[in-house]
Amino acid sequence: MTDRNLPPGDGYAALDEAEGLTVEPVTQWQLFRSRFVRHRLAMMAAVVLGIILALALFADFLPLENPTDQLEDDNGRIVNLLSPRAEYWFGTDELGQDVLSRVIYGGRTSLTVAVLTGLMVATFGTLVGSIAGYYGGWIDTLLMRFTDLILSLPLLPVAIVAAAWLREAFRGREALSLAILLGTLLWGTLARIVRAEFLSLREKEFVEAARAAGARDRRIIFRHILPNALSPIIVNATLVIGLAIILEAALSFLGFGVRPPEPAWGAMAANGGRLAVGGSGAWWLVLFPSVALIVTVLSVNFLGDGLRDALDPTQTIERR
Amino acid sequence: MSEPLLQVSNLRTFFTTEEGIVRAVDGLSFTIHKGEKFGVVGESGSGKSVTALSIMRLIEAPAGEIVTGEIHFKGQDLLRLGDEEMRKIRGAQIAMIFQDPMTALNPVYTIGNQLVETIMLHQEVRKSQAVDIGIQALDDVHIPNPKVRMDDYPHQLSGGMRQRVMIAMGLSCNPDLLIADEPTTALDVTTQAQILHLMLELTEERDTAVMLITHDLGVVAGFCDNIQVMYAGRLAERGTTDFIFDNTFHPYTAGLLGSMTRLDEVREERLYSIRGAPPSLINPSNGCRFTPRCDFAQDICGSKTPLPREFGDGHWAACHFAPDLDLSRVKRAERVG
């Protein structure tokens, strides 16, 4: 190295440049993307969810039958209980409605309920958990006993009773009433998780440092601690979204969810189940809404997994 | 010495635990002057950090409480300020640097983000100006390529670099007092020297007073004008650095000095060690708290608490027999100048 003349300027950088080497800094967004893309299951889940979401959002623009129309053939006879075929890919139900169209429109209902529930749970659970965990003392006791109360409610019976009452109050907007109901019942677990995270994070030195730098409580809670607790929140919120889809289906199945003829996956599967048990052999009425439900729930959970791994800025080793 | 900046008098900070009340700081008074480098030395649990946190009013209620005392900072009693007024002093006029730079930075934000936040919290500047101040602050602590480093996350920096960032953050609002709680303990020895040198250089430039908390006498020796040795929540001895090292009055200080290794001597015998362990601060016994471990203890030590007495020139010691004890048996020869 001694026989080389270093170019003027700041040593190594100039040397690198002279040799044609340039080091591009990697931004956090690039790291996030590369980590997420490596997570194959999550990638697939994201694509599948994207398709399902797009279908539900843009169903009106697709060449579909109206999901609540009773279809007739050329002779004016209602085409009910047709098995899947070229005209009706997913077949038709006992009322002569197109199952494909109903599955797609049903996704709208199910996803609306799920996303609204997820948002409610994330907001409420995070708020309660962070305040309880940060302040401690009687505030913590009060909030956590309330959380225990919510968690101790037997989910399905309470949901059934409340749903029966709410769907009268929200006549015509059953999806909203379901979201409010599920959101109210499901935030407890997240609140506990967030509280536990806060209990350990508030003892960290960077919190003390922030306090020593003169930051207010609100700033410490939401800007310093909360982002560090983001990954469990994301994972739990996605789990809740999956759970909400299943519970929505269960309630619809039991007849306390969305009212027919409005399509929803749970109600459709329930209805198909009844007919199948009745000996019609109409397997397509059960299969397609159930598959849609399972695929959606699985995708949401995989996506949550991938997001958690990719969002952690300290994780530098990429998976696989 | 110039005008006093911080005057702590008769500070008592207690913690309530299941076993009883821990008297972590028990009647401590001292003064830090403008621009002074003030060292606080003592074992773990001697109340050094609690003193610092008391000054910052960061003692966590309800477990901990400042029971009595006054902390006058630039003429106002910090203990009488409202929470909002105190918050404005933290970071702006009194800044603090913590022991472990690995955990003192928030892992989810870039260091630029955290610097800018601190600056904008206390200074009326626009974001772009704050960014410039931040870059300048990083440059001041000799971080190469500060513009690029602003976008780094804490885990991308080494321990020494992170402590530099902490110093940059602490000094970014030009505080009058910087409290450094064992700032070099988590760093390796060569980095320690650099960081200390940097702190000294920057605070001399700005005439910032520093309260340096450490258990390493080697660290304070090169850094501080005055040293305060604490034992079990109380003052043991205080004075100028030269006084403490050369004219030691208190057996505890002598023990600390005697137990230090030195590279410039060949020893045949073992190093001195202070026997026993620090006492529990729950219901401490009457008298001098160092009695059970003191080689010079007599009857009076166990019954009567020695009050700190001044022996001229700001040299204080809390020992019944100061300055008459012959401590040379414990402490070795004078340090080689």
Side-chain angles (χ1 to χ4, degrees):
Chain A
M1 288 299 272
T2 43
D3 55 351
R4 288 186 70 157
N5 286 325
L6 279 178
D10 65 330
Y12 289 109
L15 187 64
D16 286 346
E17 213 162 298
E19 288 176 344
L21 276 173
T22 46
V23 184
E24 279 294 315
V26 187
T27 66
Q28 205 59 27
W29 172 240
Q30 284 167 333
L31 274 177
F32 166 76
R33 263 194 336 212
S34 85
R35 278 196 296 252
F36 189 74
V37 169
R38 296 278 169 113
H39 209 299
R40 278 193 220 118
L41 264 181
M43 246 342 253
M44 265 163 54
V47 172
V48 170
L49 264 188
I51 293 172
I52 292 174
L53 264 176
L55 282 176
L57 278 176
F58 302 113
D60 291 339
F61 303 106
L62 296 173
L64 289 171
E65 303 289 350
N66 191 320
T68 53
D69 273 1
Q70 293 189 304
L71 305 175
E72 298 171 354
D73 63 9
D74 298 339
N75 306 327
R77 274 180 38 210
I78 289 175
V79 285
N80 60 345
L81 288 177
L82 291 182
S83 59
R85 60 196 63 197
E87 304 103 293
Y88 311 110
W89 290 358
F90 286 6
T92 60
D93 65 9
E94 82 280 9
L95 297 174
Q97 303 173 111
D98 181 22
V99 175
L100 173 63
S101 162
R102 286 180 70 77
V103 166
I104 289 174
Y105 276 94
R108 225 182 229 193
T109 320
S110 297
L111 289 173
T112 311
V113 173
V115 169
L116 281 181
T117 307
L119 283 178
M120 275 186 66
V121 167
T123 314
F124 207 52
T126 303
L127 211 61
V128 170
S130 50
I131 290 173
Y134 182 76
Y135 288 105
W138 64 268
I139 299 178
D140 181 31
T141 312
L142 198 76
L143 288 174
M144 278 303 114
R145 291 305 79 79
F146 181 53
T147 310
D148 289 344
L149 180 78
I150 295 287
L151 280 171
S152 65
L153 294 175
L155 190 58
L156 220 48
V158 172
I160 289 169
V161 173
W165 177 71
L166 271 174
R167 72 204 291 258
E168 294 309 318
F170 283 84
R171 195 163 262 285
R173 281 183 315 212
E174 279 86 0
L176 185 62
S177 85
L178 276 176
I180 291 175
L181 170 68
L182 294 176
T184 318
L185 289 175
L186 294 177
W187 58 268
T189 321
L190 181 63
R192 274 193 176 171
I193 293 172
V194 173
R195 171 179 174 267
E197 286 288 320
F198 265 66
L199 281 182
S200 77
L201 286 169
R202 68 192 287 263
E203 303 299 329
K204 287 272 161 77
E205 230 166 33
F206 66 81
V207 173
E208 186 128 55
R211 215 173 282 144
R216 288 183 188 84
D217 280 354
R218 200 161 13 118
R219 188 178 201 97
I220 293 174
I221 292 176
F222 292 112
R223 262 188 64 89
H224 288 273
I225 304 185
L226 194 57
N228 284 285
L230 213 54
S231 50
I233 293 175
I234 286 174
V235 173
N236 189 264
T238 54
L239 286 178
V240 162
I241 286 177
L243 187 62
I245 295 177
I246 294 172
L247 280 173
E248 182 271 324
L251 286 173
S252 299
F253 187 94
L254 294 169
F256 297 99
V258 178
R259 262 171 231 274
E262 196 69 27
W265 291 341
M268 289 167 68
N271 190 34
R274 264 195 294 276
L275 283 173
V277 173
S280 71
W283 51 268
W284 59 93
L285 293 186
V286 184
L287 181 73
F288 293 115
S290 312
V291 167
L293 199 148
I294 292 167
V295 168
T296 309
V297 173
L298 273 180
S299 304
V300 169
N301 288 352
F302 288 147
L303 185 71
D305 247 13
L307 280 180
R308 179 197 49 199
D309 291 345
L311 278 177
D312 183 358
T314 58
Q315 189 180 330
T316 45
I317 301 155
E318 293 166 352
R319 284 170 71 114
R320 258 157 291 186
Chain B
M1 194 60 64
S2 52
E3 62 191 288
L5 178 71
L6 179 85
Q7 277 179 298
V8 175
S9 42
N10 199 24
L11 178 70
R12 285 194 162 83
T13 305
F14 295 174
F15 290 87
T16 314
T17 65
E18 283 178 17
E19 289 86 39
I21 291 175
V22 180
R23 305 162 78 94
V25 174
D26 198 1
L28 185 70
S29 306
F30 61 91
T31 303
I32 299 180
H33 298 87
K34 214 167 176 308
E36 181 180 343
K37 309 287 172 279
F38 188 80
V40 179
V41 188
E43 280 167 280
S44 304
S46 59
K48 309 175 302 254
S49 296
V50 174
T51 307
L53 292 178
S54 300
I55 294 171
M56 294 295 274
R57 289 243 322 254
L58 287 174
I59 299 291
E60 293 246 8
E65 195 195 349
I66 299 174
V67 184
T68 64
E70 287 168 25
I71 300 176
H72 285 280
F73 177 72
K74 294 208 286 191
Q76 51 186 344
D77 187 352
L78 296 185
L79 298 183
R80 288 174 193 279
L81 289 184
D83 285 346
E84 185 61 21
E85 292 167 297
M86 190 59 218
R87 194 190 60 72
K88 285 187 179 142
I89 288 182
R90 283 183 208 133
Q93 297 180 46
I94 308 179
M96 189 156 176
I97 298 173
F98 290 87
Q99 175 171 355
D100 189 357
M102 298 304 185
T103 57
L105 287 162
N106 194 331
V108 299
Y109 292 115
T110 61
I111 57 166
N113 196 318
Q114 300 183 50
L115 255 171
V116 167
E117 184 192 340
T118 312
I119 293 164
M120 291 184 70
L121 214 50
H122 296 293
Q123 296 179 38
E124 301 279 319
V125 290
R126 282 198 312 272
K127 180 102 191 264
S128 59
Q129 290 171 300
V131 170
D132 290 340
I133 298 173
I135 293 173
Q136 183 59 44
L138 287 186
D139 196 40
D140 286 346
V141 294
H142 307 311
I143 284 183
N145 237 332
K147 235 180 214 149
V148 180
R149 290 284 92 83
M150 289 281 277
D151 295 327
D152 278 355
Y153 283 80
H155 70 269
Q156 292 168 299
L157 303 179
S158 70
M161 289 273 261
R162 280 186 232 184
Q163 198 59 295
R164 282 167 197 264
V165 173
M166 291 306 293
I167 293 172
M169 272 167 107
L171 294 176
S172 63
C173 294
N174 282 320
D176 297 299
L177 174 64
L178 180 71
I179 300 178
D181 189 355
E182 310 222 8
T184 58
T185 308
L187 304 174
D188 67 59
V189 183
T190 45
T191 319
Q192 272 186 18
Q194 289 171 11
I195 294 290
L196 282 174
H197 183 78
L198 177 73
M199 266 175 55
L200 196 59
E201 174 193 316
L202 292 176
T203 51
E204 286 285 312
E205 255 169 39
R206 290 152 214 238
D207 202 25
T208 309
V210 180
M211 175 172 163
L212 178 71
I213 298 172
T214 177
H215 54 242
D216 187 342
L217 279 166
V219 166
V220 285
F223 189 90
C224 296
D225 308 320
N226 289 297
I227 297 176
Q228 163 163 298
V229 182
M230 287 180 67
Y231 186 76
R234 287 183 173 160
L235 175 75
E237 187 167 4
R238 174 175 58 229
T240 61
T241 306
D242 290 337
F243 255 131
I244 295 289
F245 276 87
D246 299 337
N247 294 322
T248 316
F249 286 167
H250 197 287
Y252 179 62
T253 316
L256 286 182
L257 291 169
S259 57
M260 264 166 47
T261 51
R262 289 221 305 240
L263 291 176
D264 56 0
E265 65 176 5
V266 180
R267 292 182 67 86
E268 298 298 326
E269 74 276 33
R270 284 165 161 261
L271 273 176
Y272 179 78
S273 74
I274 304 174
R275 62 195 149 90
S280 159
L281 297 178
I282 301 171
N283 300 321
S285 53
N286 282 335
C288 177
R289 290 180 182 172
F290 189 55
T291 311
R293 305 175 71 188
C294 184
D295 285 351
F296 305 90
Q298 296 182 24
D299 290 345
I300 184 176
C301 298
S303 55
K304 192 161 172 269
T305 305
L307 293 174
R309 286 176 294 154
E310 187 170 6
F311 299 92
D313 263 355
H315 190 180
W316 293 68
C319 177
H320 291 302
F321 305 107
D324 307 322
L325 290 174
D326 176 18
L327 298 167
S328 57
R329 178 161 68 79
V330 171
K331 195 186 139 200
R332 278 154 293 134
E334 310 301 293
R335 79 186 149 139
V336 180

